[in-house]
């Protein structure tokens, strides 16, 4: 038997980092996907093949106490630890230990802040659970995806695997989520081309929080308030212009607060300012920062903003919100 599953990338619109401290956040699944194929093998090992994860190819296989790296490239190896934990968790849930080969292909750049690790974990859990005949809802798969992130990263709010498993537009807080109406926002995502490690950035913010709680706590609380305001705007029947203008201002405030936490970089800020100068109503980091991506809200100015991002050294990406989360693409008996 062979199962092919896919899961989408995400962008966090508002509330990254503060969401780790129990504040709310708003995120959307986007139409870039990771595909995971799972099938039984005869040698009893877990084998992971990652031929196209936007980093050089790598094959890793492991049995109970040994790992066999046929090639080792840092970023790809990091992604594979999510896959490995995802397979282990599903096997624990079923109580079955079987030889399974998992092959990954992905359209999502690794370390770009677009949730590539969560998408690969969710698609792996989806494919392997189906293969092992374990019935899980997408919400249950999101919870297992969160466990994978906690095991690999140490800290995680769970927002990335939840958006990837459930899809659409979500308001998320402390493991619970509410689906928001899907508004097609006129956004442009800008990729710096460099990557940040979510684990390191979350640890960096935690360190500042522990050292200066009286300063960092109000920043995180302001971020939570920005998210509440953005949710009101998204839900309200405002005149479109006013809605976008206010949302844009909230994005700019959220970016400033993220910068204050120390997760921006010069290239991220260059893309943010270039977009604003080209007419975007708002621009901010999306995801953990330290490289990766920013996004802008630019009604009527998307092509001007995309050009400005390119001139400032970034890679503009035109994306759409994906209503669908985890999807079983194909089952061959
Ligand atoms: C990463 O996409 C979002 C962070 O808030 C981490 C998390 O929520 O687990 C930085």
């Amino acid at each position: 038997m062979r199962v092919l599953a896919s899961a989408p990338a995400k962008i966090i619109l508002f509330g990254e980092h503060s969401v780790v401290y129990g504040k709310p956040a708003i995120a959307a699944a986007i139409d870039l996907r990771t595909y995971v194929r799972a099938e039984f093998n005869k040698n009893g090992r877990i084998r992971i093949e990652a031929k196209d994860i936007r980093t050089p190819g790598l094959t890793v296989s492991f049995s109970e106490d040994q790992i066999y790296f046929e090639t080792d490239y840092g970023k790809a190896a990091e992604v594979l630890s999510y896959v490995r934990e995802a397979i282990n968790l599903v096997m624990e849930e079923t109580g079955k230990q079987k030889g399974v080969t998992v092959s990954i292909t992905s359209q999502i750049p690794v370390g770009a802040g677009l949730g590539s690790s969560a998408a690969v974990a969710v698609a792996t859990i989806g494919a392997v659970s189906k293969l092992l005949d374990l019935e899980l809802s997408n919400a249950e798969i999101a919870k297992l995806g969160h466990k994978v992130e906690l095991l690999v990263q140490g800290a995680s709010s769970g927002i990335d695997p939840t958006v990837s498993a459930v899809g659409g537009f979500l308001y998320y807080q402390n493991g619970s989520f509410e689906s928001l109406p899907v508004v097609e926002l006129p956004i442009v995502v800008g990729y710096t081309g460099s990557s940040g490690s979510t684990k390191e950035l979350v640890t960096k913010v935690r360190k500042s929080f522990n050292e200066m709680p009286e300063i960092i706590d109000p920043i995180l609380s302001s971020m939570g308030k920005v998210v509440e305001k953005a949710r009101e705007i998204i839900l309200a029947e405002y005149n479109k212009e006013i809605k976008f203008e206010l949302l844009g201002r909230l994005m700019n405030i959220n970016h400033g607060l993220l910068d204050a936490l120390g997760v921006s970089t010069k290239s991220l800020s260059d893309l943010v300012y270039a977009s604003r100068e080209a007419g975007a109503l708002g621009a901010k980091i999306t995801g953990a920062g330290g490289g990766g991506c920013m996004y802008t809200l630019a009604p009527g100015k998307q092509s001007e903003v995309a050009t400005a991002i390119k001139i400032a050294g970034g890679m503009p990406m035109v994306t759409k919100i994906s209503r669908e989360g985890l999807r079983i693409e194909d089952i061959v008996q």
Side-chain angles (χ1 to χ4, degrees):
M1 184 177 168
R2 202 167 68 203
V3 180
L4 179 67
S6 76
K10 63 94 209 355
I11 57 168
I12 295 188
L13 297 167
F14 295 97
E16 47 279 269
H17 286 290
S18 44
V19 69
V20 177
Y21 296 77
K23 312 287 183 230
I26 296 174
I30 55 172
D31 61 355
L32 293 172
R33 289 189 163 256
T34 291
Y35 294 82
V36 171
R37 199 181 63 211
E39 60 198 314
F40 293 118
N41 66 40
K42 292 210 169 60
N43 63 20
R45 280 196 209 153
I46 308 289
R47 186 177 165 87
I48 306 169
E49 295 168 357
K51 296 227 165 69
D52 173 24
I53 45 175
R54 295 272 180 114
T55 37
L58 167 71
T59 299
V60 175
S61 52
F62 54 90
S63 56
E64 206 123 293
D65 49 5
Q66 271 174 302
I67 304 185
Y68 311 86
F69 279 91
E70 282 163 33
T71 338
D72 183 354
Y73 294 99
K75 276 287 157 213
E78 198 177 305
V79 172
L80 295 180
S81 42
Y82 290 84
V83 180
R84 186 184 175 173
E85 293 297 353
I87 299 170
N88 284 347
L89 275 184
V90 175
M91 296 222 171
E92 265 172 33
E93 288 283 317
T94 59
K96 291 180 197 161
Q97 280 293 329
K98 296 214 169 177
V100 171
T101 297
V102 165
S103 316
I104 304 153
T105 50
S106 185
Q107 305 166 334
I108 311 172
V110 173
L114 299 179
S116 59
S117 319
V120 85
V122 164
T124 303
I125 296 167
V128 177
S129 60
K130 209 29 138 220
L131 187 73
L132 297 179
D133 214 14
L134 175 68
E135 275 308 317
L136 294 172
S137 67
N138 282 0
E140 287 168 326
I141 288 176
K143 291 255 180 299
L144 286 181
H146 187 196
K147 265 197 194 170
V148 170
E149 284 199 334
L150 288 172
L151 287 165
V152 179
Q153 289 168 204
S156 143
S157 67
I159 190 168
D160 291 10
T162 304
V163 177
S164 188
V166 176
F169 212 162
L170 298 187
Y171 171 86
Y172 179 93
Q173 187 167 24
N174 278 331
S176 304
F177 63 87
E178 171 197 349
S179 288
L180 298 176
V182 175
V183 221
E184 277 305 338
L185 295 172
I187 61 172
V188 181
V189 175
Y191 179 31
T192 57
S194 66
S195 65
S197 154
T198 301
K199 181 179 177 170
E200 280 167 25
L201 290 147
V202 167
T203 306
K204 179 177 176 179
V205 175
R206 172 68 64 188
K207 189 164 173 282
S208 298
F209 179 79
N210 290 340
E211 285 167 358
M212 301 175 279
E214 70 287 8
I215 294 171
I216 304 300
D217 196 43
I219 297 177
L220 299 170
S221 297
S222 291
M223 288 173 157
K225 288 181 188 134
V226 163
V227 174
E228 293 300 358
K229 188 102 196 138
R231 177 175 170 274
E232 272 172 34
I233 295 168
I234 290 166
L235 290 176
E237 291 296 313
Y238 282 167
N239 166 304
K240 279 198 166 179
E241 293 301 313
I242 298 171
K243 186 167 79 177
F244 286 150
E245 206 263 327
L246 263 178
L247 271 184
R249 271 163 57 198
L250 290 172
M251 286 168 66
N252 293 340
I253 293 170
N254 201 162
H255 180 78
L257 294 168
L258 286 164
D259 202 1
L261 289 184
V263 300
S264 191
T265 61
K266 180 167 184 308
S267 29
L268 276 168
S269 290
D270 284 349
L271 303 191
V272 162
Y273 284 98
S275 308
R276 290 180 194 162
E277 273 163 23
L281 295 178
K284 70 176 272 292
I285 291 169
T286 182
C293 290
M294 47 72 73
Y295 85 96
T296 77
L297 183 65
K301 296 269 181 179
Q302 280 161 291
S303 67
E304 287 89 336
V305 166
T307 305
I309 288 174
K310 224 183 262 173
I311 293 170
M315 195 193 299
M317 295 194 269
V318 180
T319 52
K320 278 216 211 81
I321 291 178
S322 165
R323 286 163 199 270
E324 258 187 303
L326 173 69
R327 196 158 74 197
I328 299 296
E329 304 276 347
D330 191 27
I331 301 179
V332 179
Q333 292 294 340

